[in-house]
């Protein structure tokens, strides 16, 4: 559930699209994410679960901060809750943009109509279940994502075969295969040391992602962390490698078919185009569902965290007692409001999913990661 809620539509669209458009130098992001996942599970998951128990079994990250640092004035609670709402607006916009591009590609409807349909589907789905329901469906969606990410590059490689460098040169890729396959090239530019460090730094964002950290806090017992860690790391290694392979193999295969995407925003449809070209419509439909699974698993998790932050943390901080029924309806209204604002942010079809995610990821990483790490290691 933690990994499925982590990897949203950008994982099947933004990352492969970046490799297609700019080359395998985009792999530094994936390497950073892999290292960040390892650090998150090895350094944070176990201690955070134990500290959560000591901090009055906190259910949300703001409440954990309040209890951990004895914040009687609720300053930490309010600042962290507001931060969650702000950056999840942008993060949710990235997932909704993915949904809009998905429905636009599948049904040919206008992007904005597709964006609205996708948001409505996710809203209904989120309203119907709570945290446990989302975790269970995350497992199913995560499995579907894994299958989809593995089967597409395997099929593409089976058709292309042979020497990938020669295939890239034959298609006349900009700069030749040596530039496209170089880890120190970003399109027509050469990476500087700060560029590489910046992309690796995506991994630090993991230490501050509320929708992932809340799953560490919800593990049944600290003794189960080790088994969860193994499952998560195997899953993320396979899927990251497959996502990069889709961008590389898609560049070769689509070029051989005379199909060229002019920019990165258009290239983010590469997974969908490969699915329709490599498989019959029935199987392609299942693979499209993998994108929807990635979007829904992440957005549902994010919206639940936002609802909790706005009702359980912000509203409850100024109210002595809130009934369960009132809290549920206030949470639903909060989720609806956030979704509407996220739709407005994602309204323009030329915006890139990767661009939205980078802002949200940096925001959460810079805001919460230092506080989380210090809360676990600083007496």
């Amino acid at each position: 559930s933690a990994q499925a809620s982590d990897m949203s539509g950008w994982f099947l669209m933004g990352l492969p699209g970046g490799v297609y458009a700019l080359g395998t130098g985009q792999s530094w992001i994936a390497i950073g994410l892999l290292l960040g996942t390892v650090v998150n599970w090895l350094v944070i998951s176990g201690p955070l679960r134990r500290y959560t128990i000591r901090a009055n079994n906190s259910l949300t990250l703001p409440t954990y901060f309040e209890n951990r640092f004895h914040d009687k004035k609720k300053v930490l609670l309010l600042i962290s809750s507001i931060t969650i709402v702000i950056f999840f607006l942008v993060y949710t916009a990235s997932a909704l943009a993915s949904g809009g591009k998905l429905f636009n590609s599948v049904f040919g409807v206008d992007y904005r109509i597709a964006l609205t349909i996708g948001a409505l589907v996710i809203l209904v789905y989120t309203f119907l279940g709570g945290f446990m329901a989302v975790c269970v469906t995350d497992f199913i969606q995560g499995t579907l994502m894994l299958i989809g990410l593995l089967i597409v590059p395997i099929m593409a490689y089976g058709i292309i075969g042979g020497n990938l460098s020669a295939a890239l040169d034959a298609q006349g890729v900009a700069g030749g295969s040596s530039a496209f396959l170089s880890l120190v090239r970003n399109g027509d530019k050469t990476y500087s040391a700060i560029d590489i460090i910046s992309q690796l730094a995506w991994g630090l964002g993991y230490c501050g992602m509320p929708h992932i950290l809340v799953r560490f806090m919800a593990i049944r017992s600290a003794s189960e962390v080790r088994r969860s860690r193994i499952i998560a790391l195997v899953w993320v290694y396979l899927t990251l490698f497959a996502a990069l392979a889709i961008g590389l193999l898609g560049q070769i295969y689509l070029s051989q078919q005379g199909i060229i995407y002019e920019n990165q925003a258009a290239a983010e449809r590469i997974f969908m185009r490969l699915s329709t070209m490599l498989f019959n419509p029935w199987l392609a439909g299942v693979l499209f569902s993998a994108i929807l699974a990635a979007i829904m698993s992440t957005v549902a998790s994010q919206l639940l965290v936002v609802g909790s932050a706005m009702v359980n943390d912000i509203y409850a901080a100024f109210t002595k007692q809130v009934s369960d029924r009132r809290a549920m309806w206030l949470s639903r209204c909060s989720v609806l409001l956030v979704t509407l604002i996220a739709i407005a942010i994602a309204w323009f079809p030329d915006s890139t999913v990767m661009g939205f995610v980078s802002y949200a990821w940096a925001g959460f990483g810079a805001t919460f990661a230092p506080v989380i790490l210090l809360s676990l290691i600083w007496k």
Side-chain angles (χ1 to χ4, degrees), residues 96 100 110-121 343 347:
L96 295 182
D110 179 77
Y111 167 79
R112 293 185 173 92
I113 296 175
L115 177 72
T116 307
I117 293 172
L120 286 173
V121 170
I343 289 173
W347 194 247

Side-chain angles (χ1 to χ4, degrees), residues 61-330:
L61 211 55
T63 307
Y64 164 73
F65 290 146
E66 179 189 29
N67 293 330
R68 169 66 180 85
F69 294 107
H70 309 291
D71 177 29
K72 304 297 183 184
K73 296 182 179 179
K74 300 187 181 298
V75 175
L76 266 178
L77 181 79
L78 289 174
I79 291 176
S80 53
S81 299
I82 292 169
T83 301
I84 284 174
V85 174
I86 290 171
F87 287 115
F88 268 148
L89 279 172
V90 184
Y91 211 145
T92 302
S94 76
L96 295 182
S98 300
K101 291 183 179 183
L102 171 64
F103 288 126
N104 172 255
S105 295
V106 175
F107 301 112
V109 297
D110 179 77
Y111 167 79
R112 293 185 173 92
I113 296 175
L115 177 72
T116 307
I117 293 172
L120 286 173
V121 170
I122 294 168
L123 264 179
V124 172
Y125 161 80
T126 307
F127 281 176
L128 289 176
F131 181 76
M132 282 303 297
V134 168
C135 287
V136 172
T137 51
D138 276 352
F139 166 73
I140 299 169
Q141 291 163 338
T143 303
L144 185 58
M145 289 164 63
L146 178 62
I147 294 170
L149 278 163
L150 290 178
I151 195 172
V152 170
I154 289 173
M155 187 71 171
Y157 183 76
I159 295 174
I160 296 169
N163 189 319
L164 297 182
S165 297
L168 284 168
D169 287 328
Q171 301 309 317
V173 67
S177 62
S178 59
F180 192 88
L181 296 175
S182 173
L183 287 177
V184 295
R185 297 282 295 178
N186 183 34
D188 57 355
K189 300 177 182 178
T190 300
Y191 274 129
S192 66
I194 199 69
D195 291 330
I196 295 174
I197 292 170
S198 296
Q199 295 211 15
L200 285 173
W202 275 69
L204 296 174
Y206 273 115
C207 305
M209 292 295 145
H211 56 302
I212 301 173
L213 297 174
V214 75
R215 279 155 175 74
F216 296 161
M217 296 163 65
I219 293 175
R220 187 179 291 109
S221 68
S223 62
E224 292 193 9
V225 170
R226 184 176 179 275
R227 181 172 57 180
S228 301
R229 181 187 301 145
I230 294 169
I231 295 169
L233 294 182
V234 170
W235 188 93
V236 79
Y237 176 82
L238 290 174
T239 51
L240 278 172
F241 181 80
L244 295 173
I246 288 170
L248 169 60
L249 297 170
Q251 169 65 249
I252 298 171
Y253 182 78
L254 294 184
S255 295
Q256 290 176 346
Q257 307 301 315
I259 299 170
I260 298 174
Y261 289 120
E262 297 296 334
N263 54 60
Q264 189 172 344
E268 290 180 344
R269 303 169 189 267
I270 187 171
F271 181 87
M272 293 176 282
R273 177 58 71 92
L274 285 174
S275 298
T276 55
M277 296 178 71
L278 295 173
F279 303 98
N280 68 55
W282 289 98
L283 189 51
V286 174
L287 295 174
F288 285 160
S289 299
I291 301 177
L292 192 59
I295 296 166
M296 293 174 73
S297 62
T298 300
V299 175
S301 300
Q302 292 169 349
L303 292 178
L304 284 173
V305 172
V306 169
S308 296
M310 294 184 74
V311 177
N312 296 342
D313 297 327
I314 298 176
Y315 183 79
F318 300 99
T319 308
K320 291 184 178 180
Q321 192 171 5
V322 185
S323 67
D324 288 344
R325 182 175 178 81
R326 183 176 180 82
M328 180 184 71
W329 280 105
L330 285 172

